[in-house]
Amino acid sequence: MGTTGARADDVPTPDLPEAPLSVAAVAHRLGVAPATLRTWDRRYGLGPTGHAAGAHRRYSPRDVARLQTMRRLTLQGVPPASAAQAALEVEPLVSGRDTAPLPTRDGRLQAPAGGGRVLPLPGAEAAVRGLGRAAMALDGPAVTEAVRAELARRGVTATWDDVLRPVLAAVGARWAATGQGVEVEHLLSDCVTTALREIVPDRQEGARPVLLACAPDDQHALPLHVLGAALAERGHVSRTLGAAMPADALAAAVRRTGPAALFLWSQLASTADPAVLERLPTTRPATAVVVGGPGWVGAELPARVTRADDLKSAVALVEQALGA
């Protein structure tokens, strides 16, 4: 995700191909199955714009640019429907020939000359646009204060769904389109985590806590802090174990604390290993095991494990385990 440090206008712009690409070629370029592209077309309208009935599907460079945005956002944990909406709303890069550059083999698009400091948030409310401006300016105190204000006004779940996710999605879309903005994403995540931690009391009393952890090798801990704050807001005790929890350490934590529930996040399919879930110890009373994140989508989960689709369902499943 890092940048090379070279100026965007130092990078040569390749000639764009005239011929559109087949489903198989685009799937190979983006690292997804052809069936995934057909699903994105059917469900979200992210198909070839020039497709005629009865003809083979062919994707233009602009179509592929939108699909790359979709791919990047889903890998970041954005729900597919929200990622598709962002991909359709954010205009792909346009060159002098009025076509967007194709992504490289590693899945990134050519950065445009001159960069840019505007975060596209079409139709967003004032709070979302303000947070986006502060993030793009790398104004950490302003970002943290804005998040605090929205948490106090809306609560955790509404702030996450209505304010934070749109900004994070736009930052991800910008990175997908330009290869720039990693520093914005990191600052935004750090400030959000700081504000969320303030909601969780330093000392929590409760007989059986909820454990929150990332799957082994998964570094995306922000969703854990979001869920922990949402639970604390509702009076529930949780302990966040953080990113990349080794399987043995995770099992030891479950055995030691006997939690009412364990929530395990996986951002990528490569970190979503059902064997880790199979090796979890059995507790009495039983620990409810809930997984979340795009990595678990399509995985064969053990019978004792439930997958949460979003923050609201994660809170509901944990509360069910707590008997709330």
Side-chain angles (χ1 to χ4, degrees), residues 154-178:
R154 305 172 190 250
V156 175
T157 302
T159 297
W160 175 250
D161 287 338
D162 300 339
V163 180
L164 298 178
R165 269 180 41 190
V167 176
L168 287 165
V171 171
R174 185 177 184 273
W175 186 92
T178 68

Side-chain angles (χ1 to χ4, degrees), residues 193-213:
T193 299
T194 297
L196 289 170
R197 281 175 171 168
E198 294 172 355
I199 295 176
V200 181
D202 293 334
R203 182 173 182 82
Q204 301 180 80
E205 300 296 338
R208 301 187 70 201
V210 176
L211 294 186
L212 313 175

Side-chain angles (χ1 to χ4, degrees), residues 219-231:
Q219 300 293 335
H220 301 82
L222 178 59
L224 305 183
H225 297 291
V226 175
L227 178 55
L231 292 172

Side-chain angles (χ1 to χ4, degrees), residues 128-168:
V128 177
R129 296 196 307 273
L131 181 61
R133 286 193 298 270
M136 290 300 292
L138 297 180
D139 188 343
V143 170
T144 303
E145 189 54 39
V147 175
R148 285 187 184 121
E150 295 306 315
L151 288 170
R153 185 163 73 94
R154 305 172 190 250
V156 175
T157 302
T159 297
W160 175 250
D161 287 338
D162 300 339
V163 180
L164 298 178
R165 269 180 41 190
V167 176
L168 287 165

Side-chain angles (χ1 to χ4, degrees), residues 240-282:
T240 301
L241 303 181
M245 275 297 296
D248 290 344
L250 186 65
V254 171
R255 191 178 298 110
R256 186 177 308 158
T257 62
L262 167 68
F263 177 83
L264 195 64
W265 178 269
S266 177
Q267 188 83 5
L268 306 174
S270 59
T271 65
D273 184 3
V276 174
L277 305 172
E278 294 278 11
R279 294 199 297 268
L280 290 173
T282 301

